[in-house]
Amino acid sequence: MNKPRMTLIVSVAIPMASLVALAAVPAGAAPPQEADGSPGAEAAVTMTVGTHNVLRGKAEYRPFADVIGWQEVQDPQDRERLRKKLGGYGHFMPGKNPARQVPISWRKDTFEFVKGAAELTHKGEAKVTPNRYVVWAVLKHKKTNKRLVAMNTHFISGAWNKHPNRQARWLTHAEKLRKTVGNLHQKHPDLPIFLVGDFNRRKALKLPAGVDYIRVEGVKGVPIDQSYATGSVNNSKVKRLQKFGSDHHAYRFTATF
């Protein structure tokens, strides 16, 4: 008689364990789900990133992306016009004037500024070039608390048209940019990096930390206005937009991380 009794006890013990686990879940409760519907998944951020060289401040300022890197926002009045035209945006304009010409803007209802800096790439020369910088900002997405690094820069022009001094400056700028990307990745290894700017060369840069060039839809080759993103980011191709009064097109891509 002992054997049947032991079998009965084991067969009851398993359902009882399941009942104990189920008792911890409130009646009618569903497993936790995130925005994509998968249990326990982290909510994703989908955003647009843009770049526009605004012709020494003369072009129209358009709110064409969630995060925008501008080049040639030349004078204080141009920066004031940017603030007025994009009232719903925050702006990182570093203290030194040449660096303030390459500001970063973001939608205030979507992101908040965490910190930022301007890294000198090379010094300028009268009637040749101002000091050149890489400007970066860490932004936090308000709904998810996810953070990202936005970067913006503007290389010297004419470096690849038989100007050895300009070419040396361009190469110094590129090396400093690589170093800045690497340092930011080292300090913030989990954050995606988005880089835009006027590179003044029709060739993509090789950058560290898996930050890759993004092709422009319907455009052969590489334009001088370029966009890059961390390879783990799911992004669209870059779209070429209107010039909005500039001699450069504006560019925009969509990214999800």
Side-chain angles (χ1 to χ4, degrees):
M1 294 297 294
N2 286 342
K3 285 185 180 179
R5 202 158 112 197
M6 289 179 65
T7 303
L8 179 62
I9 292 169
V10 171
S11 64
V12 172
I14 294 172
M16 285 296 292
S18 299
L19 287 170
V20 169
L22 287 171
V25 181
Q33 292 187 342
E34 295 296 340
D36 64 356
S38 58
E42 191 174 287
V45 174
T46 297
M47 56 182 281
T48 52
V49 182
T51 181
H52 196 200
N53 182 316
V54 291
L55 186 60
R56 298 181 297 281
K58 297 178 181 178
E60 299 176 41
Y61 295 103
R62 297 288 188 94
F64 66 92
D66 298 322
V67 177
I68 305 171
W70 310 92
Q71 302 87 45
E72 296 191 12
V73 186
Q74 207 83 348
D75 301 313
Q77 58 266 32
D78 300 322
R79 292 187 282 275
E80 185 58 29
R81 189 159 60 90
L82 171 60
R83 291 187 184 97
K84 288 181 178 179
K85 290 289 184 180
L86 275 73
Y89 282 70
H91 310 280
F92 178 52
M93 300 180 179
K96 296 181 179 179
N97 184 51
R100 293 170 70 84
Q101 297 177 20
V102 282
I104 297 171
S105 302
W106 59 89
R107 293 187 187 276
K108 289 192 291 188
D109 62 353
T110 306
F111 297 98
E112 67 179 63
F113 178 77
V114 177
K115 62 180 178 178
E119 309 283 351
L120 178 69
T121 61
H122 63 78
K123 291 188 176 181
E125 183 181 340
K127 298 182 180 180
V128 177
T129 179
N131 291 356
R132 299 280 174 167
Y133 290 86
V134 175
V135 176
W136 60 265
V138 175
L139 304 177
K140 184 173 76 172
H141 187 256
K142 289 185 174 181
K143 288 185 179 179
T144 65
N145 290 325
K146 285 189 171 183
R147 298 187 180 198
L148 63 95
V149 178
M151 303 180 69
N152 183 28
T153 196
H154 187 187
F155 282 71
I156 190 172
S157 63
W160 304 99
N161 297 324
K162 300 181 180 179
H163 290 284
N165 291 337
R166 286 175 176 263
Q167 189 172 118
R169 287 187 169 100
W170 194 100
L171 292 170
T172 299
H173 191 138
E175 188 56 36
K176 180 65 176 181
L177 174 60
R178 291 187 185 95
K179 187 175 181 179
T180 303
V181 169
N183 288 343
L184 285 168
H185 176 68
Q186 188 175 16
K187 291 178 182 177
H188 309 285
D190 299 325
L191 303 192
I193 294 175
F194 300 99
L195 164 66
V196 297
D198 180 352
F199 286 69
N200 271 315
R201 190 184 185 190
R202 298 184 184 278
K203 184 178 180 180
L205 269 180
K206 290 184 178 180
L207 296 171
V211 177
D212 300 323
Y213 171 73
I214 308 173
R215 293 183 177 276
V216 180
E217 187 178 78
V219 175
K220 291 183 178 179
V222 179
I224 64 174
D225 300 291
Q226 298 173 17
S227 303
Y228 296 76
T230 301
S232 59
V233 170
N234 182 16
N235 56 264
S236 68
K237 287 185 178 180
V238 175
K239 290 188 177 182
R240 176 180 276 178
L241 308 177
Q242 297 178 41
K243 293 183 177 181
F244 304 125
S246 177
D247 56 346
H248 288 245
H249 288 273
Y251 294 82
R252 178 181 64 209
F253 66 96
T254 301
T256 301
F257 67 95

